[in-house]
Amino acid sequence: GKVGGVFNIRSVTKIKELQEYAVKNTRLHIPLLFGMDVIHGYKTISPIPIAEAASWDLEAIQKSAQMAALESSAAGINWTFAPMVDISRDARWGRVMEGAGEDPFLGSKIATAKVKGFQGENLSSNFTIAACAKHFAAYGFSEGGRDYNTVDVGTSTLYNMVFPPFKAANDAGVKTFMNSFNELNGIPATGNEYLQREVLKEEWNFDGFVVSDWDSISEMIAHGYTKNESDAAEIALNAGSDMDMESYLYLDHLKNLVDEGKVDLALIDDAVKRILKVKFELGLFDNPFVDEQEVIKVCGTGEAMKL
């Protein structure tokens, strides 16, 4: 019962088995989130995002995300780590292929189309999944195009280039945000209260949850920003990072940090409520189990191939 989400399982049988265990055999009976990088298709593959963006065809882009949601939800996946809405001007950054390019206007339109495609009109439908706007923020401006690197941009660039696609995703109702590996003006995004609390949750009224990027909480130590694992967990939670992906530092340290008065229990309550809210909206408390026959009917159909 200490696990809230499981990532990268591509087995309907295994997903059903894990969900049944979580719902029936853990203390609180809370269903799991199953997440995966469903970036440009699950079974039926669409062009990579930068190629889709080059079409300027927003309707086709939305349908592409809709098809990916249909197939992955049938397979038991209920959360995708997409769309990546980072604007980047440096082709050396290897992840340019995962975004919409260098223009914030087009990037904003595509962010909206992708969120609507993945999440549909009713998130509790069997054929929709929660989307995740990533990486908040400025990951695409890493110096030298190097992953995890320093980002140093002015307010004008931040508000006019970096933020617009994220704001568009939020306005479209995206349920989750992922913070980024990079530091922004000296502060790692995972521990950046300005980004996660002041801008996202207060200024933009985002009511979903923020997930860390893979192990990005512990990587604040490598940035030289935190002293140790406990310090990293404290800074990340206080800054507004609600879910810890992969570092295990919340599991290992948050209880002690609350006992020591370094983390307010109200902030943990807020993080938990945000995550539970998305699970409720996905319909997982009413219908947590995947139909193992559905994936056969839905994935790789002629209709999907035509699209």
Side-chain angles (χ1 to χ4, degrees):
K2 294 181 179 180
V3 175
V6 181
F7 311 135
N8 300 332
I9 296 181
R10 201 178 171 95
S11 163
V12 182
T13 303
K14 179 59 71 174
I15 285 174
K16 188 175 182 181
E17 179 185 330
L18 287 170
Q19 193 70 289
E20 285 184 345
Y21 191 90
V23 171
K24 296 176 181 178
N25 298 325
T26 61
R27 182 173 65 91
L28 296 174
H29 312 291
I30 296 173
L32 297 167
L33 283 170
F34 290 96
M36 181 174 280
D37 280 305
V38 185
I39 305 299
H40 56 107
Y42 179 78
K43 177 70 173 177
T44 308
I45 303 302
S46 300
I48 60 173
I50 192 70
E52 285 193 334
S55 75
W56 293 76
D57 189 334
L58 296 172
E59 183 180 356
I61 290 168
Q62 183 169 332
K63 285 182 178 178
S64 166
Q66 189 175 17
M67 178 179 69
L70 173 68
E71 292 189 344
S72 54
S73 63
I77 303 299
N78 45 43
W79 182 24
T80 177
F81 306 125
M84 191 194 88
V85 299
D86 293 295
I87 297 297
S88 182
R89 300 162 168 170
D90 191 339
R92 292 175 297 180
W93 189 52
R95 297 188 72 167
V96 292
M97 55 79 187
E98 199 181 338
E102 61 187 355
D103 181 72
F105 180 77
L106 177 62
S108 297
K109 294 293 186 184
I110 290 175
T112 300
K114 287 281 190 182
V115 170
K116 288 183 175 178
F118 285 128
Q119 296 188 169
E121 297 296 327
N122 178 13
L123 198 61
S124 65
S125 159
N126 288 338
F127 305 117
T128 57
I129 56 178
C132 182
K134 65 184 189 184
H135 306 83
F136 200 61
Y139 195 31
F141 282 77
S142 297
E143 288 184 0
R146 294 185 174 93
D147 256 1
Y148 301 71
N149 206 6
T150 297
V151 173
D152 190 358
V153 297
T155 306
S156 177
T157 298
L158 195 62
Y159 274 84
N160 293 314
M161 294 295 298
V162 173
F163 280 168
F166 288 102
K167 180 65 164 57
N170 183 58
D171 290 346
V174 72
K175 295 302 175 184
T176 69
F177 266 66
M178 183 185 293
N179 57 41
S180 51
F181 285 123
N182 58 279
E183 62 174 44
L184 176 63
N185 302 330
I187 302 175
T190 307
N192 196 312
E193 185 174 349
Y194 163 72
L195 285 176
Q196 296 173 112
R197 290 209 186 275
E198 290 182 30
V199 174
L200 183 58
K201 293 179 177 178
E202 294 173 17
E203 191 177 323
W204 295 356
N205 294 312
F206 173 64
D207 64 355
F209 71 83
V210 179
V211 62
S212 76
D213 207 339
W214 188 275
D215 197 29
S216 68
I217 297 177
S218 71
E219 284 171 1
M220 289 196 292
I221 302 169
H223 275 293
Y225 189 73
T226 61
K227 298 183 295 244
N228 51 43
E229 291 184 347
S230 176
D231 190 36
E234 174 188 345
I235 287 173
L237 195 285
N238 284 336
S241 188
D242 301 306
M243 180 186 281
D244 172 10
M245 186 197 288
E246 186 56 28
S247 80
Y248 302 93
L249 299 193
Y250 281 4
L251 184 63
D252 292 342
H253 298 286
L254 280 187
K255 184 180 185 303
N256 289 338
L257 288 167
V258 170
D259 292 342
E260 294 166 7
K262 293 179 178 179
V263 170
D264 190 335
L265 188 61
L267 294 182
I268 293 188
D269 285 344
D270 178 63
V272 170
K273 286 175 184 176
R274 287 171 177 273
I275 295 165
L276 288 177
K277 179 174 177 287
V278 173
K279 291 185 178 186
F280 272 111
E281 290 172 335
L282 282 164
L284 293 178
F285 285 91
D286 296 321
N287 184 24
F289 305 122
V290 63
D291 181 352
E292 293 177 83
Q293 297 304 309
E294 196 67 40
V295 69
I296 300 169
K297 301 177 195 172
V298 166
C299 287
T301 63
E303 186 179 348
M305 291 301 294
K306 185 179 178 182
L307 175 62

